[in-house]
Amino acid sequence: MPPPSDIVKVAIEWPGANAQLMEIDQKKPLSSIIREVCDGWSLSGSEQFALRYADGPQLYITEQSRSEIKNGTILRLAISPARAARQLLDRIQSHGIDARLEALKELAKLSADPTFATEFISMEGIGTLARLVESGTHFGEMLAFTLTAFLELMDHGIVSWDLISLSFIKQIASYVNQPMVDVSILQRSLAILESMVLNSHSLYHRVAQEITVGQLIGHLQVSNQEIQTYAIALINALFLKAPEDRRQEMASTLAQKHLRSIILNHVIRGNRPIKAEMAHQLYVLQVLTFNLLEERMMTKMDPSDQAQRDIIFELRRIAFDGENDPSGTEKRKAMYTKDYKMLGFTNHVNPAMDFTQTPPGMLALDNMLYLAKLHQDTYIRIVLENSSREDKHECPFGRCAIELTRMLCEILQVGELPNEGCNDYHPMFFTHDRAWEEFFCVCIQLLNKTWKEMRATAEDFNKVMQVVREQITRTLAMKPSSLDQLKGKLRGLSYSEILRLRQSERMSQDDFQSPPIIELRERIQPEILELIKQQRLNRLCEGSCFRKLGNRRRQEKFWFCRLSLNHKVLHYGDLDESPQGEVPFELLTDKIPVSDIKSVVTGKDCPHMKEKSALKQNKEVLEQAFSILYDPDENLNFVAPNKYEYCIWTDGLCALLGREMGSDLTRSDLDTLISMEMKLRLLDLENITIPEAPPPVPKEPSTYNFTYNYG
């Protein structure tokens, strides 16, 4: 007979004694178990002891974490976190250097434990460590362990970084700016400064005043990859938190200091393989660099701006007039419309109108001008080659360049913040000071080549762009190390090769892509979609708790909203604290008849997001915001606690109003349920079926004139 699930067999150690083998009853209080262990070794004062893991990080076991104990685990009886924190704090403040060093070593190890950290911080331990650093009397190992413990304690987020003094910042910065400093101290100092910048807006300005970019770049030229990683991480943090008007200035400074070439020569092409954390920091730097293009990408062209129009004139002049135009632009105006058509613009009369959509905005024009000036022969060849064709197979350069720029912005996620844990950096973007523009120049030649291979006409424009996107994404996945290698790999991915790869991949797909399976999927999709709609409405009837927006006080306020059981009224009201369960309708004093709802808007269209949508730090809030607009010109504003609740509510409200749901979560649910149902039907398991949707609530007579139309 197997043992009960709440009984765990463990071994418990104590220095100088034989280990105890015992069964822990997870239903008993942890204090009772510790008392039994102490009695086994005749130890008094069990409240002064605690259990820790003997292996790994050796974390303390608490009532919250005890469920993670597995059979066969080796534990160790140790002094309690509070007692350990008090002893270490006293030893750190002692006069004996050896005793202080041993205490700091143990503190650096224990500080990773959140239970111990809470106790140590409550005894003003962080202030003690900060004063040791500020004194400037600690060096070598003692300083390294002090900084390690400080960083570990702060990383728990128990206290705010804003409490750090200016003298502490100056002392840490001095370790980074010194030409010769111990590697362990430098590494921890860089990590502390990075955390300061990322966790406090006010500390960013202080750190930026103390640290020079030139000094950080100097740390990239060492052979220690750990130091290089922390140096790039601090550069990224300063870049990320810099005000919008400072980022371009900082980018110019980094360019003047040859950051790109130093990273290429000392990191990417160094003698050591790139570790995961370094790859992540290179990816972050790549993203932040491309994000400098966002302003131009989102800038519309002003057709009345003569300076901007002159750029288009320059494109025409380079293509058709050579180095100079002796006849002057005034005499050629009658021919401009024909020239702009030959250049491939959609609007032949006023091509400036082609650049009024964002993205790609003015960024497309920047790319075209770069190609025309820096790769003039290529530009003229592409334009004249297509303008001289009269078989309707000409490739429209202007339209292609604009759409290609938009595509590259999507592929490289220009304007998006870096993703945690992503290591997708591309070495070739570190091989050229104008990597973005050069990448565009390579891709526009690829597009022209693919257009000819497909013998495309204007009607095939979208098909060509799809093939080009696939060629680019497949090549980027190969991680070419240089732009020349990129060109070589793109040459190998011709249109015929793409067709071959597509056919091969289709042949290797499983049977779920066969025509009978596709037909079955189409047949069962409506009933699955109806089930999802009903589930969304049921969740709205249960209700959800939302945080009140704009409340800056430390004590948060909440409000609750739920749909009536007959789906006719939304009830909502304020709460003093987050509820643990369902909130009764009687406590929700406000309500909105469903018949009064005019529409549901999301993201930047929400009234409460009009001003916040431009701020980077509100991106997550923006993605989870939605509003209900109802008569007479009123609105109820929401910010969902997470993406799941956002999809539940927006999908449910759309279902309530008889509109099509469209969230990613719905598509995921739909695909999962359809796959499950298809497998069951294909296996002919008639006794196992997907749960049926509950019958609709009978409609009561009302004056709302609201119909449950889910079509």
Side-chain angles (χ1 to χ4, degrees):
M1 182 176 179
S5 58
D6 49 13
I7 299 297
V8 183
K9 295 183 178 181
V10 301
I12 303 179
E13 300 177 339
W14 174 254
N18 294 327
Q20 295 187 38
L21 301 178
M22 65 182 301
E23 295 182 348
I24 293 180
D25 186 351
Q26 294 285 34
K27 294 181 180 179
K28 293 177 62 176
L30 191 58
S31 57
S32 299
I33 296 172
I34 295 174
R35 188 180 305 111
E36 291 180 17
V37 175
C38 289
D39 291 343
W41 282 311
S42 301
L43 298 174
S44 59
S46 62
E47 67 278 359
Q48 298 294 319
F49 292 92
L51 291 176
R52 289 170 56 185
Y53 288 99
D55 301 319
Q58 301 183 11
L59 300 178
Y60 279 101
I61 295 170
T62 64
E63 289 288 356
Q64 292 74 30
S65 65
R66 61 183 296 182
S67 60
E68 300 174 6
I69 302 176
K70 308 297 181 184
N71 280 319
T73 302
I74 301 177
L75 305 180
R76 178 176 297 160
L77 185 66
I79 59 175
S80 67
R83 186 178 172 191
R86 173 51 61 191
Q87 289 182 0
L88 286 176
L89 196 58
D90 291 341
R91 289 164 58 192
I92 289 171
Q93 295 172 314
S94 68
H95 298 291
I97 296 179
D98 293 339
R100 185 181 298 179
L101 178 60
E102 290 302 315
L104 287 170
K105 283 184 181 180
E106 188 173 351
L107 176 63
K109 182 179 179 180
L110 282 176
S111 294
D113 189 300
T115 308
F116 170 84
T118 302
E119 297 292 343
F120 189 82
I121 290 173
S122 67
M123 299 174 186
E124 302 296 329
I126 285 184
T128 301
L129 295 179
R131 286 189 292 272
L132 290 177
V133 175
E134 292 170 8
S135 67
T137 57
H138 284 55
F139 305 97
E141 274 192 311
M142 189 172 293
L143 178 58
F145 286 122
T146 303
L147 297 178
T148 301
F150 178 87
L151 183 59
E152 291 282 2
L153 292 168
M154 292 299 297
D155 279 348
H156 291 293
I158 299 173
V159 294
S160 171
W161 282 89
D162 288 321
L163 300 176
I164 303 302
S165 67
L166 181 58
S167 58
F168 181 86
I169 297 173
K170 288 181 176 293
Q171 191 64 41
I172 296 295
S174 70
Y175 301 138
V176 174
N177 293 328
Q178 287 177 13
M180 296 294 293
V181 68
D182 186 83
V183 171
S184 57
I185 295 174
L186 176 59
Q187 177 181 320
R188 288 156 178 78
S189 298
L190 289 168
I192 290 173
L193 292 174
E194 180 198 2
S195 294
M196 287 180 183
V197 171
L198 293 177
N199 290 284
S200 171
H201 180 70
S202 61
L203 291 186
Y204 156 76
H205 293 285
R206 295 180 179 178
V207 173
Q209 292 173 355
E210 299 295 331
I211 296 296
T212 64
V213 173
Q215 190 66 37
L216 291 177
I217 290 178
H219 293 309
L220 296 177
Q221 303 179 55
V222 300
S223 59
N224 188 316
Q225 191 174 122
E226 295 294 324
I227 297 299
Q228 292 175 326
T229 302
Y230 281 106
I232 295 180
L234 181 51
I235 292 174
N236 287 337
L238 291 168
F239 212 141
L240 183 64
K241 293 300 181 178
E244 294 287 346
D245 57 343
R246 281 269 301 140
R247 289 181 186 172
Q248 290 289 352
E249 179 183 340
M250 185 175 177
S252 299
T253 303
L254 293 175
Q256 293 172 6
K257 298 292 184 179
H258 307 292
L259 172 66
R260 178 199 59 77
S261 59
I262 290 174
I263 290 178
L264 179 66
N265 295 323
H266 293 273
V267 179
I268 297 176
R269 294 178 179 173
N271 297 325
R272 298 186 179 185
I274 302 295
K275 296 181 180 178
E277 182 56 31
M278 172 61 85
H280 173 68
Q281 295 302 333
L282 292 174
Y283 154 77
V284 172
L285 181 60
Q286 172 186 290
V287 171
L288 296 177
T289 302
F290 283 146
N291 281 355
L292 295 173
L293 304 169
E294 183 182 12
E295 181 181 357
R296 294 292 286 175
M297 180 183 75
M298 300 307 295
T299 300
K300 297 181 180 181
M301 186 171 186
D302 182 1
S304 63
D305 189 326
Q306 187 59 44
Q308 295 180 3
R309 291 168 62 88
D310 286 344
I311 300 177
I312 299 179
F313 294 157
E314 182 70 2
L315 290 175
R316 190 207 61 78
R317 185 195 66 78
I318 295 174
F320 302 116
D321 293 343
E323 291 299 322
N324 51 54
D325 183 7
S327 62
T329 57
E330 291 296 330
K331 296 181 180 180
R332 295 292 305 272
K333 282 186 177 179
M335 302 180 62
Y336 280 2
T337 298
K338 179 182 177 182
D339 289 348
Y340 292 146
K341 182 178 180 180
M342 294 171 66
L343 275 170
F345 288 111
T346 303
N347 192 319
H348 307 154
V349 178
N350 186 7
M353 300 303 296
D354 286 15
F355 301 94
T356 56
Q357 291 187 357
T358 57
M362 291 295 290
L363 185 60
L365 188 59
D366 294 342
N367 286 341
M368 296 166 69
L369 184 63
Y370 182 89
L371 174 68
K373 287 193 170 184
L374 275 296
H375 299 272
Q376 193 169 117
D377 292 342
T378 300
Y379 168 69
I380 294 175
R381 176 178 57 80
I382 292 175
V383 172
L384 296 184
E385 179 183 275
N386 288 284
S387 62
S388 62
R389 301 183 68 174
E390 296 181 357
D391 54 0
K392 297 184 179 180
H393 288 282
E394 64 274 6
C395 177
F397 170 74
R399 183 184 177 191
C400 288
I402 293 171
E403 190 57 35
L404 177 63
T405 302
R406 189 201 321 273
M407 179 196 298
L408 297 183
C409 288
E410 293 174 357
I411 293 174
L412 297 176
Q413 299 179 328
V414 175
E416 298 291 329
L417 291 177
N419 295 322
E420 280 294 331
C422 183
N423 302 335
D424 190 24
Y425 82 98
H426 297 280
M428 69 176 181
F429 290 130
F430 292 88
T431 62
H432 200 284
D433 289 329
R434 303 292 295 273
W436 165 265
E437 291 85 350
E438 289 293 323
F439 184 47
F440 168 84
C441 293
V442 172
C443 292
I444 194 67
Q445 295 177 73
L446 167 72
L447 196 159
N448 187 59
K449 172 175 171 286
T450 302
W451 186 283
K452 289 188 291 186
E453 290 175 349
M454 295 177 66
R455 292 191 56 79
T457 64
E459 296 177 352
D460 302 316
F461 184 86
N462 291 332
K463 294 179 182 178
V464 176
M465 296 307 297
Q466 290 174 5
V467 173
V468 171
R469 175 186 283 269
E470 187 171 347
Q471 290 171 314
I472 294 172
T473 53
R474 285 180 182 271
T475 304
L476 286 177
M478 302 177 194
K479 296 295 180 68
S481 59
S482 66
L483 290 167
D484 288 337
Q485 194 175 105
L486 171 72
K487 296 175 185 177
K489 292 184 180 298
L490 285 174
R491 281 194 294 269
L493 275 178
S494 62
Y495 175 56
S496 59
E497 178 65 12
I498 290 294
L499 291 180
R500 189 193 67 78
L501 290 172
R502 287 178 175 178
Q503 180 65 22
S504 175
E505 290 168 358
R506 277 197 297 267
M507 295 295 291
S508 64
Q509 288 178 346
D510 57 26
D511 293 337
F512 279 90
Q513 296 299 321
S514 61
I517 300 301
I518 294 175
E519 181 182 354
L520 176 59
R521 179 186 180 89
E522 292 175 351
R523 286 176 56 189
I524 66 177
Q525 180 166 331
E527 61 185 87
I528 301 295
L529 186 58
E530 184 61 35
L531 175 65
I532 294 175
K533 288 180 178 179
Q534 195 62 48
Q535 183 265 351
R536 297 291 194 262
L537 291 172
N538 291 341
R539 279 286 288 108
L540 262 62
C541 291
E542 295 175 8
S544 298
C545 179
F546 301 91
R547 180 173 57 86
K548 291 184 76 69
L549 195 66
N551 179 36
R552 298 183 178 179
R553 291 178 294 176
R554 188 174 295 273
Q555 183 179 1
E556 289 191 309
K557 295 293 183 179
F558 304 90
W559 66 287
F560 197 89
C561 185
R562 61 181 298 193
L563 179 66
S564 63
L565 299 181
N566 63 2
H567 298 178
K568 291 186 177 182
V569 180
L570 278 174
H571 297 263
Y572 65 98
D574 292 342
L575 301 174
D576 291 331
E577 57 184 19
S578 181
Q580 299 301 316
E582 196 173 273
V583 177
F585 287 108
E586 294 78 18
L587 298 180
L588 305 177
T589 56
D590 300 307
K591 61 183 180 180
I592 300 173
V594 170
S595 61
D596 287 350
I597 298 178
K598 294 191 294 185
S599 64
V600 177
V601 295
T602 61
K604 62 182 180 181
D605 295 326
C606 298
H608 58 313
M609 291 290 113
K610 295 295 185 182
E611 296 180 359
K612 296 179 178 294
S613 60
L615 301 177
K616 284 287 185 184
Q617 59 267 35
N618 291 310
K619 185 173 184 294
E620 183 177 349
V621 175
L622 183 66
E623 292 177 347
Q624 297 174 9
F626 61 98
S627 298
I628 293 175
L629 308 183
Y630 62 97
D631 291 333
D633 298 325
E634 297 288 341
N635 53 75
L636 185 62
N637 299 320
F638 300 74
V639 175
N642 50 56
K643 188 67 175 177
Y644 179 79
E645 286 291 328
Y646 170 83
C647 294
I648 288 289
W649 273 84
T650 53
D651 281 349
L653 290 170
C654 287
L656 191 65
L657 299 176
R659 299 169 185 171
E660 182 180 355
M661 301 184 297
S663 73
D664 294 338
L665 191 60
T666 299
R667 301 276 79 81
S668 175
D669 289 351
L670 184 63
D671 290 340
T672 301
L673 289 173
I674 287 176
S675 297
M676 291 171 56
E677 178 74 355
M678 284 171 59
K679 290 177 182 177
L680 294 175
R681 295 192 186 190
L682 290 171
L683 293 172
D684 199 26
L685 299 178
E686 297 180 353
N687 59 325
I688 306 176
T689 59
I690 195 164
E692 294 184 0
V697 179
K699 185 179 178 183
E700 300 177 4
S702 71
T703 59
Y704 295 143
N705 192 28
F706 180 79
T707 58
Y708 288 89
N709 176 18
Y710 294 114

